[in-house]
Amino acid sequence: MRYSRFFAPTLRDDPADAEVISHKLLLRAGFIRRVTSGVYDFLPLGLRVLRKIEGIVREEMARAGAQELLLPMVQPSELWKKSGRWEKYGSELLRFKDRHAHESCLGPTHEEVICDLVSRELRSYKQLPMNLYQIQSKFRDEVRPRFGLMRGREFVMKDAYSFHADEASLQEEYDNMFTTYQRIFTRLGLKFRAVEADTGSIGGNQSHEFHVLAESGEDLIAYCSHCDYAANVEKGISTRDIPSFADASLNEVETPGMTAVEDVAKHLQINADQLVKTLIYQVTGGDFDGRMIAACIHGDDVLQEIKLARALGANEVELATDDALEAINSIKGFVGPQGLNCKILMDESLRNAVGMVAGSNKSDMHVTGLSISRDVEHAEFIDLREVRLDDGCAHCSEGHIKHARGIEVGQVFALGQQYTKPLEVLFQDHNGKRATATMGCYGIGVSRLVAAVIEQCNDDNGMIWPLSLAPFQVVIITMGKSETAMNASEKLYQNISEQGIEVLWDDRKERPGVKFKDAELMGLPIHVVIGDRGLDADAIEIRQRAGSKQEVPLNAVIENIRNILVGAN
RNA sequence: CGGGACGUAGCGCAGCCUGGUAGCGCACUACACUGGGGGUGUAGUGGUCGGAGGUUCAAAUCCUCUCGUCCCGACCA
């Protein structure tokens, strides 16, 4: 490609509305342009990288035995009603009516459509297992799109769906996909970590997320300093020191105006961990839809709302309003577990607690000497607390919990029969009986990966693409505009192209500095610098974006490039 | 949805408070010089000041509404 004809509008300044480095560089280097919030054009450079990533994903999916197909973006509401997600998915699902007033939506994910397809074609267990995938644009009407390609509303995703005759087969494929994902992210040159994850609105029994480690990541990962345990904090577990206090009789104490844990603790001269923090939530969805529930944790713990919602089978939980507290017999700031007119969930760590302090459900009063088993009726104990930094590891007992930020670029789910049942994906098993298929699904955020790679591979001058992902492997920078230099450059450009190497020839009539800056901004890996000076000395400069630099005779340039390309593979 | 900021040329911004000829840098066009790290000069092109309404002799500027964008939070395969 000749730069003078190439559509790659670069910017000298950072665009005002870009915050993270990948977003800034993608805009500055002319890879993408914004159309509307969370929706982007992929310009030629951006598309080239996207296609490279897709290519690697395709190769590894093929190696894993999956088959590519392409499903529609527009989906009929009927399928979503059948799975129950028409109601459940919420406003992230972009819904609309066609000219016949038929309700449809843009696919945010494709469990319904693939189940519909497979249910109509699957007959025998002999056809199983089967893994089908696509690489396609998804649309999710995110509440808050941000950071360019990191969280768009329209984005490119690789989504795979596997179908199985039994759980063992699903587990096998889950492991297969897990390994495949590790291969893919390794090939992409990423520092990443697989972590245990909540199953979210997709549902299912088991799930892992793959996170690219980066400060700009939106997710918080908890991992063990000693063993290989790692989990999203939404799901992570840890051990904490459970303080033991002397059992005592129940007493009421005056705590005027002290509604915060710290105030009460200070007043009573105790640590926050002796308090029981009681939070009242309004539940949406599931068996407790529309009701309020109480959740209790130690005063120095943070409640993990995703865990709470999951335990209740709810779509979401939201802190109850002050007024609502009266309905369950309590009062703002002095909520406690006793005598509440609602279901009470307590963190495991409180199961045998005695001598605790809690709200009394009366204004300006707390209780001391609270014994959970003696004084609280009908409490259920589950894991509700969020893992804290430096907590003990629940898996190895030697390590401690550390935190890292991550960009979620992939997730694998063992779904079980959550979709195959309502959508009736049935087959005849080896006994000739009708059975419901078991399912897994596996996603990779392909366009998000473009941003994730940049987050990890950049410097002050711009992007630094690995050879396998670069939009062009080589850029020829012609210095000056002498005929000799232009002719030599053109010849080299043609020769390199003929080798099947992707090369951009910067034939613009620009000053050298401009060309260097642009080549570096775009992060092209190999820069060949040709000017009269080098030609006269027969010493052509070959630079690598990542660092090194050498001079070689003109007729050895191609061989040198080949060596670099091979060496990197 | 709550909180905050912003919208003036392709990009980055000033002007607004205190109403009176729409500006600067970069980019772009032409010419000249220059030619190994975003060079210099001369002359140019390009703007319904996001939109609508109002106040006023007069609105980018003041008022009301509205649309859009970004950030924080809530939310999120």
Side-chain angles (χ1 to χ4, degrees), chain A residues 232-263:
Chain A
N232 194 307
V233 289
E234 296 171 354
K235 165 95 175 178
I237 56 170
S238 62
T239 58
R240 59 160 295 162
D241 295 331
I242 299 177
S244 57
F245 304 104
D247 202 356
S249 56
L250 200 60
N251 260 312
E252 289 192 341
V253 291
E254 290 198 13
T255 50
M258 297 171 200
T259 57
V261 166
E262 298 77 42
D263 296 341

PDB file of all heavy atoms in Angstrom, chain A residues 232-263:
ATOM      1  N   ASN A 232     -12.752 -13.332  39.937  1.00  0.00           N
ATOM      2  CA  ASN A 232     -13.327 -11.993  39.908  1.00  0.00           C
ATOM      3  C   ASN A 232     -13.852 -11.713  41.322  1.00  0.00           C
ATOM      4  O   ASN A 232     -14.395 -12.611  41.959  1.00  0.00           O
ATOM      5  CB  ASN A 232     -14.484 -11.975  38.897  1.00  0.00           C
ATOM      6  CG  ASN A 232     -14.925 -10.562  38.554  1.00  0.00           C
ATOM      7  OD1 ASN A 232     -15.217  -9.770  39.437  1.00  0.00           O
ATOM      8  ND2 ASN A 232     -14.962 -10.264  37.274  1.00  0.00           N
ATOM      9  N   VAL A 233     -13.691 -10.487  41.802  1.00  0.00           N
ATOM     10  CA  VAL A 233     -14.169 -10.213  43.167  1.00  0.00           C
ATOM     11  C   VAL A 233     -15.663 -10.442  43.319  1.00  0.00           C
ATOM     12  O   VAL A 233     -16.154 -10.664  44.421  1.00  0.00           O
ATOM     13  CB  VAL A 233     -13.858  -8.771  43.654  1.00  0.00           C
ATOM     14  CG1 VAL A 233     -12.397  -8.586  43.916  1.00  0.00           C
ATOM     15  CG2 VAL A 233     -14.379  -7.762  42.665  1.00  0.00           C
ATOM     16  N   GLU A 234     -16.373 -10.422  42.202  1.00  0.00           N
ATOM     17  CA  GLU A 234     -17.809 -10.696  42.262  1.00  0.00           C
ATOM     18  C   GLU A 234     -18.073 -12.111  42.773  1.00  0.00           C
ATOM     19  O   GLU A 234     -19.156 -12.422  43.240  1.00  0.00           O
ATOM     20  CB  GLU A 234     -18.424 -10.594  40.851  1.00  0.00           C
ATOM     21  CG  GLU A 234     -18.350  -9.200  40.260  1.00  0.00           C
ATOM     22  CD  GLU A 234     -18.771  -9.184  38.805  1.00  0.00           C
ATOM     23  OE1 GLU A 234     -19.007 -10.283  38.243  1.00  0.00           O
ATOM     24  OE2 GLU A 234     -18.856  -8.085  38.239  1.00  0.00           O
ATOM     25  N   LYS A 235     -17.079 -12.946  42.616  1.00  0.00           N
ATOM     26  CA  LYS A 235     -17.265 -14.360  42.886  1.00  0.00           C
ATOM     27  C   LYS A 235     -16.272 -14.867  43.929  1.00  0.00           C
ATOM     28  O   LYS A 235     -16.500 -15.887  44.573  1.00  0.00           O
ATOM     29  CB  LYS A 235     -17.049 -15.107  41.548  1.00  0.00           C
ATOM     30  CG  LYS A 235     -16.840 -16.581  41.625  1.00  0.00           C
ATOM     31  CD  LYS A 235     -18.130 -17.323  41.419  1.00  0.00           C
ATOM     32  CE  LYS A 235     -17.866 -18.827  41.377  1.00  0.00           C
ATOM     33  NZ  LYS A 235     -19.100 -19.570  41.230  1.00  0.00           N
ATOM     34  N   GLY A 236     -15.178 -14.181  44.094  1.00  0.00           N
ATOM     35  CA  GLY A 236     -14.062 -14.664  44.897  1.00  0.00           C
ATOM     36  C   GLY A 236     -14.400 -14.971  46.332  1.00  0.00           C
ATOM     37  O   GLY A 236     -15.281 -14.359  46.947  1.00  0.00           O
ATOM     38  N   ILE A 237     -13.702 -15.948  46.901  1.00  0.00           N
ATOM     39  CA  ILE A 237     -13.875 -16.267  48.308  1.00  0.00           C
ATOM     40  C   ILE A 237     -12.521 -16.198  48.995  1.00  0.00           C
ATOM     41  O   ILE A 237     -11.476 -16.345  48.365  1.00  0.00           O
ATOM     42  CB  ILE A 237     -14.491 -17.659  48.528  1.00  0.00           C
ATOM     43  CG1 ILE A 237     -13.653 -18.728  47.830  1.00  0.00           C
ATOM     44  CG2 ILE A 237     -15.915 -17.693  48.021  1.00  0.00           C
ATOM     45  CD1 ILE A 237     -14.064 -20.131  48.195  1.00  0.00           C
ATOM     46  N   SER A 238     -12.558 -15.970  50.285  1.00  0.00           N
ATOM     47  CA  SER A 238     -11.324 -15.884  51.055  1.00  0.00           C
ATOM     48  C   SER A 238     -11.673 -16.194  52.496  1.00  0.00           C
ATOM     49  O   SER A 238     -12.841 -16.308  52.851  1.00  0.00           O
ATOM     50  CB  SER A 238     -10.741 -14.473  50.953  1.00  0.00           C
ATOM     51  OG  SER A 238     -11.645 -13.546  51.506  1.00  0.00           O
ATOM     52  N   THR A 239     -10.658 -16.336  53.315  1.00  0.00           N
ATOM     53  CA  THR A 239     -10.918 -16.521  54.740  1.00  0.00           C
ATOM     54  C   THR A 239     -10.539 -15.241  55.469  1.00  0.00           C
ATOM     55  O   THR A 239      -9.642 -14.524  55.041  1.00  0.00           O
ATOM     56  CB  THR A 239     -10.071 -17.680  55.306  1.00  0.00           C
ATOM     57  OG1 THR A 239      -8.687 -17.396  55.068  1.00  0.00           O
ATOM     58  CG2 THR A 239     -10.444 -18.985  54.650  1.00  0.00           C
ATOM     59  N   ARG A 240     -11.236 -14.980  56.529  1.00  0.00           N
ATOM     60  CA  ARG A 240     -10.895 -13.831  57.348  1.00  0.00           C
ATOM     61  C   ARG A 240     -10.777 -14.305  58.785  1.00  0.00           C
ATOM     62  O   ARG A 240     -11.318 -15.348  59.148  1.00  0.00           O
ATOM     63  CB  ARG A 240     -11.963 -12.745  57.254  1.00  0.00           C
ATOM     64  CG  ARG A 240     -13.359 -13.195  57.687  1.00  0.00           C
ATOM     65  CD  ARG A 240     -14.226 -12.007  58.031  1.00  0.00           C
ATOM     66  NE  ARG A 240     -13.706 -11.302  59.208  1.00  0.00           N
ATOM     67  CZ  ARG A 240     -14.033 -10.065  59.538  1.00  0.00           C
ATOM     68  NH1 ARG A 240     -14.863  -9.394  58.787  1.00  0.00           N
ATOM     69  NH2 ARG A 240     -13.523  -9.503  60.618  1.00  0.00           N
ATOM     70  N   ASP A 241     -10.063 -13.549  59.579  1.00  0.00           N
ATOM     71  CA  ASP A 241     -10.020 -13.862  60.996  1.00  0.00           C
ATOM     72  C   ASP A 241     -11.403 -13.607  61.549  1.00  0.00           C
ATOM     73  O   ASP A 241     -11.937 -12.512  61.401  1.00  0.00           O
ATOM     74  CB  ASP A 241      -9.021 -12.948  61.719  1.00  0.00           C
ATOM     75  CG  ASP A 241      -7.602 -13.220  61.236  1.00  0.00           C
ATOM     76  OD1 ASP A 241      -7.337 -14.380  60.838  1.00  0.00           O
ATOM     77  OD2 ASP A 241      -6.793 -12.283  61.237  1.00  0.00           O
ATOM     78  N   ILE A 242     -11.970 -14.627  62.161  1.00  0.00           N
ATOM     79  CA  ILE A 242     -13.276 -14.406  62.769  1.00  0.00           C
ATOM     80  C   ILE A 242     -13.044 -14.135  64.253  1.00  0.00           C
ATOM     81  O   ILE A 242     -12.592 -14.997  64.986  1.00  0.00           O
ATOM     82  CB  ILE A 242     -14.196 -15.634  62.573  1.00  0.00           C
ATOM     83  CG1 ILE A 242     -14.394 -15.863  61.071  1.00  0.00           C
ATOM     84  CG2 ILE A 242     -15.522 -15.409  63.273  1.00  0.00           C
ATOM     85  CD1 ILE A 242     -15.208 -17.081  60.742  1.00  0.00           C
ATOM     86  N   PRO A 243     -13.309 -12.930  64.626  1.00  0.00           N
ATOM     87  CA  PRO A 243     -13.038 -12.565  66.017  1.00  0.00           C
ATOM     88  C   PRO A 243     -14.009 -13.289  66.952  1.00  0.00           C
ATOM     89  O   PRO A 243     -15.162 -13.512  66.592  1.00  0.00           O
ATOM     90  CB  PRO A 243     -13.285 -11.052  66.031  1.00  0.00           C
ATOM     91  CG  PRO A 243     -14.228 -10.811  64.902  1.00  0.00           C
ATOM     92  CD  PRO A 243     -13.936 -11.841  63.863  1.00  0.00           C
ATOM     93  N   SER A 244     -13.532 -13.653  68.118  1.00  0.00           N
ATOM     94  CA  SER A 244     -14.457 -14.264  69.087  1.00  0.00           C
ATOM     95  C   SER A 244     -14.561 -13.333  70.286  1.00  0.00           C
ATOM     96  O   SER A 244     -13.552 -12.821  70.789  1.00  0.00           O
ATOM     97  CB  SER A 244     -13.939 -15.636  69.525  1.00  0.00           C
ATOM     98  OG  SER A 244     -12.651 -15.514  70.059  1.00  0.00           O
ATOM     99  N   PHE A 245     -15.777 -13.114  70.665  1.00  0.00           N
ATOM    100  CA  PHE A 245     -16.022 -12.216  71.787  1.00  0.00           C
ATOM    101  C   PHE A 245     -16.730 -12.984  72.882  1.00  0.00           C
ATOM    102  O   PHE A 245     -17.361 -14.016  72.630  1.00  0.00           O
ATOM    103  CB  PHE A 245     -16.875 -11.024  71.335  1.00  0.00           C
ATOM    104  CG  PHE A 245     -16.256 -10.288  70.177  1.00  0.00           C
ATOM    105  CD1 PHE A 245     -16.757 -10.451  68.894  1.00  0.00           C
ATOM    106  CD2 PHE A 245     -15.156  -9.459  70.369  1.00  0.00           C
ATOM    107  CE1 PHE A 245     -16.174  -9.801  67.826  1.00  0.00           C
ATOM    108  CE2 PHE A 245     -14.568  -8.805  69.304  1.00  0.00           C
ATOM    109  CZ  PHE A 245     -15.078  -8.970  68.026  1.00  0.00           C
ATOM    110  N   ALA A 246     -16.616 -12.466  74.071  1.00  0.00           N
ATOM    111  CA  ALA A 246     -17.249 -13.134  75.207  1.00  0.00           C
ATOM    112  C   ALA A 246     -18.769 -13.097  75.050  1.00  0.00           C
ATOM    113  O   ALA A 246     -19.333 -12.076  74.672  1.00  0.00           O
ATOM    114  CB  ALA A 246     -16.842 -12.440  76.497  1.00  0.00           C
ATOM    115  N   ASP A 247     -19.385 -14.232  75.315  1.00  0.00           N
ATOM    116  CA  ASP A 247     -20.843 -14.285  75.269  1.00  0.00           C
ATOM    117  C   ASP A 247     -21.379 -13.392  76.385  1.00  0.00           C
ATOM    118  O   ASP A 247     -20.779 -13.282  77.443  1.00  0.00           O
ATOM    119  CB  ASP A 247     -21.309 -15.735  75.478  1.00  0.00           C
ATOM    120  CG  ASP A 247     -22.707 -15.930  74.923  1.00  0.00           C
ATOM    121  OD1 ASP A 247     -23.300 -14.924  74.456  1.00  0.00           O
ATOM    122  OD2 ASP A 247     -23.197 -17.067  74.955  1.00  0.00           O
ATOM    123  N   ALA A 248     -22.463 -12.745  76.101  1.00  0.00           N
ATOM    124  CA  ALA A 248     -23.020 -11.850  77.114  1.00  0.00           C
ATOM    125  C   ALA A 248     -24.517 -11.782  76.918  1.00  0.00           C
ATOM    126  O   ALA A 248     -25.050 -12.242  75.912  1.00  0.00           O
ATOM    127  CB  ALA A 248     -22.402 -10.456  76.975  1.00  0.00           C
ATOM    128  N   SER A 249     -25.170 -11.224  77.885  1.00  0.00           N
ATOM    129  CA  SER A 249     -26.610 -11.103  77.733  1.00  0.00           C
ATOM    130  C   SER A 249     -26.927  -9.887  76.880  1.00  0.00           C
ATOM    131  O   SER A 249     -26.143  -8.950  76.785  1.00  0.00           O
ATOM    132  CB  SER A 249     -27.280 -10.971  79.103  1.00  0.00           C
ATOM    133  OG  SER A 249     -26.709  -9.879  79.787  1.00  0.00           O
ATOM    134  N   LEU A 250     -28.081  -9.953  76.277  1.00  0.00           N
ATOM    135  CA  LEU A 250     -28.500  -8.913  75.361  1.00  0.00           C
ATOM    136  C   LEU A 250     -28.825  -7.632  76.104  1.00  0.00           C
ATOM    137  O   LEU A 250     -29.522  -7.648  77.113  1.00  0.00           O
ATOM    138  CB  LEU A 250     -29.746  -9.412  74.624  1.00  0.00           C
ATOM    139  CG  LEU A 250     -30.118  -8.734  73.309  1.00  0.00           C
ATOM    140  CD1 LEU A 250     -29.003  -8.879  72.296  1.00  0.00           C
ATOM    141  CD2 LEU A 250     -31.407  -9.340  72.788  1.00  0.00           C
ATOM    142  N   ASN A 251     -28.263  -6.527  75.627  1.00  0.00           N
ATOM    143  CA  ASN A 251     -28.510  -5.241  76.269  1.00  0.00           C
ATOM    144  C   ASN A 251     -28.744  -4.166  75.231  1.00  0.00           C
ATOM    145  O   ASN A 251     -28.181  -4.231  74.143  1.00  0.00           O
ATOM    146  CB  ASN A 251     -27.291  -4.831  77.088  1.00  0.00           C
ATOM    147  CG  ASN A 251     -27.484  -5.128  78.550  1.00  0.00           C
ATOM    148  OD1 ASN A 251     -28.523  -4.783  79.118  1.00  0.00           O
ATOM    149  ND2 ASN A 251     -26.497  -5.764  79.149  1.00  0.00           N
ATOM    150  N   GLU A 252     -29.529  -3.187  75.574  1.00  0.00           N
ATOM    151  CA  GLU A 252     -29.695  -2.058  74.687  1.00  0.00           C
ATOM    152  C   GLU A 252     -28.816  -0.916  75.183  1.00  0.00           C
ATOM    153  O   GLU A 252     -28.736  -0.689  76.393  1.00  0.00           O
ATOM    154  CB  GLU A 252     -31.158  -1.626  74.623  1.00  0.00           C
ATOM    155  CG  GLU A 252     -32.024  -2.629  73.877  1.00  0.00           C
ATOM    156  CD  GLU A 252     -33.410  -2.087  73.561  1.00  0.00           C
ATOM    157  OE1 GLU A 252     -33.809  -1.101  74.216  1.00  0.00           O
ATOM    158  OE2 GLU A 252     -34.073  -2.642  72.674  1.00  0.00           O
ATOM    159  N   VAL A 253     -28.151  -0.241  74.268  1.00  0.00           N
ATOM    160  CA  VAL A 253     -27.351   0.920  74.652  1.00  0.00           C
ATOM    161  C   VAL A 253     -27.767   2.107  73.797  1.00  0.00           C
ATOM    162  O   VAL A 253     -28.166   1.946  72.643  1.00  0.00           O
ATOM    163  CB  VAL A 253     -25.837   0.668  74.450  1.00  0.00           C
ATOM    164  CG1 VAL A 253     -25.334  -0.357  75.447  1.00  0.00           C
ATOM    165  CG2 VAL A 253     -25.550   0.251  73.019  1.00  0.00           C
ATOM    166  N   GLU A 254     -27.626   3.266  74.365  1.00  0.00           N
ATOM    167  CA  GLU A 254     -27.981   4.467  73.615  1.00  0.00           C
ATOM    168  C   GLU A 254     -26.820   4.873  72.717  1.00  0.00           C
ATOM    169  O   GLU A 254     -25.665   4.903  73.138  1.00  0.00           O
ATOM    170  CB  GLU A 254     -28.326   5.609  74.580  1.00  0.00           C
ATOM    171  CG  GLU A 254     -29.620   5.355  75.302  1.00  0.00           C
ATOM    172  CD  GLU A 254     -30.180   6.633  75.915  1.00  0.00           C
ATOM    173  OE1 GLU A 254     -29.688   7.727  75.571  1.00  0.00           O
ATOM    174  OE2 GLU A 254     -31.121   6.506  76.724  1.00  0.00           O
ATOM    175  N   THR A 255     -27.156   5.133  71.477  1.00  0.00           N
ATOM    176  CA  THR A 255     -26.153   5.558  70.502  1.00  0.00           C
ATOM    177  C   THR A 255     -26.739   6.703  69.702  1.00  0.00           C
ATOM    178  O   THR A 255     -26.997   6.560  68.503  1.00  0.00           O
ATOM    179  CB  THR A 255     -25.793   4.394  69.559  1.00  0.00           C
ATOM    180  OG1 THR A 255     -27.015   3.827  69.055  1.00  0.00           O
ATOM    181  CG2 THR A 255     -24.978   3.341  70.253  1.00  0.00           C
ATOM    182  N   PRO A 256     -26.964   7.815  70.355  1.00  0.00           N
ATOM    183  CA  PRO A 256     -27.687   8.900  69.680  1.00  0.00           C
ATOM    184  C   PRO A 256     -26.989   9.399  68.415  1.00  0.00           C
ATOM    185  O   PRO A 256     -25.826   9.778  68.457  1.00  0.00           O
ATOM    186  CB  PRO A 256     -27.733   9.999  70.756  1.00  0.00           C
ATOM    187  CG  PRO A 256     -26.678   9.631  71.745  1.00  0.00           C
ATOM    188  CD  PRO A 256     -26.555   8.152  71.709  1.00  0.00           C
ATOM    189  N   GLY A 257     -27.713   9.371  67.356  1.00  0.00           N
ATOM    190  CA  GLY A 257     -27.232   9.924  66.090  1.00  0.00           C
ATOM    191  C   GLY A 257     -26.120   9.132  65.438  1.00  0.00           C
ATOM    192  O   GLY A 257     -25.588   9.538  64.417  1.00  0.00           O
ATOM    193  N   MET A 258     -25.762   7.988  66.017  1.00  0.00           N
ATOM    194  CA  MET A 258     -24.637   7.228  65.460  1.00  0.00           C
ATOM    195  C   MET A 258     -25.141   6.159  64.511  1.00  0.00           C
ATOM    196  O   MET A 258     -25.541   5.081  64.919  1.00  0.00           O
ATOM    197  CB  MET A 258     -23.838   6.595  66.588  1.00  0.00           C
ATOM    198  CG  MET A 258     -23.220   7.637  67.496  1.00  0.00           C
ATOM    199  SD  MET A 258     -22.507   6.903  68.929  1.00  0.00           S
ATOM    200  CE  MET A 258     -22.447   8.308  70.011  1.00  0.00           C
ATOM    201  N   THR A 259     -25.096   6.508  63.254  1.00  0.00           N
ATOM    202  CA  THR A 259     -25.632   5.578  62.263  1.00  0.00           C
ATOM    203  C   THR A 259     -24.525   4.845  61.519  1.00  0.00           C
ATOM    204  O   THR A 259     -24.753   3.784  60.959  1.00  0.00           O
ATOM    205  CB  THR A 259     -26.495   6.346  61.249  1.00  0.00           C
ATOM    206  OG1 THR A 259     -25.694   7.362  60.650  1.00  0.00           O
ATOM    207  CG2 THR A 259     -27.698   6.981  61.924  1.00  0.00           C
ATOM    208  N   ALA A 260     -23.327   5.400  61.513  1.00  0.00           N
ATOM    209  CA  ALA A 260     -22.238   4.747  60.786  1.00  0.00           C
ATOM    210  C   ALA A 260     -21.527   3.741  61.677  1.00  0.00           C
ATOM    211  O   ALA A 260     -21.445   3.926  62.895  1.00  0.00           O
ATOM    212  CB  ALA A 260     -21.243   5.801  60.286  1.00  0.00           C
ATOM    213  N   VAL A 261     -21.038   2.683  61.072  1.00  0.00           N
ATOM    214  CA  VAL A 261     -20.323   1.642  61.804  1.00  0.00           C
ATOM    215  C   VAL A 261     -19.184   2.244  62.619  1.00  0.00           C
ATOM    216  O   VAL A 261     -19.008   1.924  63.796  1.00  0.00           O
ATOM    217  CB  VAL A 261     -19.772   0.587  60.808  1.00  0.00           C
ATOM    218  CG1 VAL A 261     -18.740  -0.305  61.498  1.00  0.00           C
ATOM    219  CG2 VAL A 261     -20.894  -0.260  60.244  1.00  0.00           C
ATOM    220  N   GLU A 262     -18.445   3.144  62.013  1.00  0.00           N
ATOM    221  CA  GLU A 262     -17.273   3.727  62.690  1.00  0.00           C
ATOM    222  C   GLU A 262     -17.694   4.483  63.963  1.00  0.00           C
ATOM    223  O   GLU A 262     -17.041   4.389  64.998  1.00  0.00           O
ATOM    224  CB  GLU A 262     -16.526   4.705  61.771  1.00  0.00           C
ATOM    225  CG  GLU A 262     -15.952   4.076  60.506  1.00  0.00           C
ATOM    226  CD  GLU A 262     -17.006   3.835  59.450  1.00  0.00           C
ATOM    227  OE1 GLU A 262     -17.866   4.715  59.245  1.00  0.00           O
ATOM    228  OE2 GLU A 262     -16.993   2.755  58.828  1.00  0.00           O
ATOM    229  N   ASP A 263     -18.802   5.229  63.853  1.00  0.00           N
ATOM    230  CA  ASP A 263     -19.255   6.016  64.998  1.00  0.00           C
ATOM    231  C   ASP A 263     -19.620   5.115  66.176  1.00  0.00           C
ATOM    232  O   ASP A 263     -19.254   5.385  67.322  1.00  0.00           O
ATOM    233  CB  ASP A 263     -20.473   6.872  64.614  1.00  0.00           C
ATOM    234  CG  ASP A 263     -20.116   7.909  63.559  1.00  0.00           C
ATOM    235  OD1 ASP A 263     -18.912   8.193  63.414  1.00  0.00           O
ATOM    236  OD2 ASP A 263     -21.031   8.400  62.884  1.00  0.00           O
TER     237      ASP A 263
END
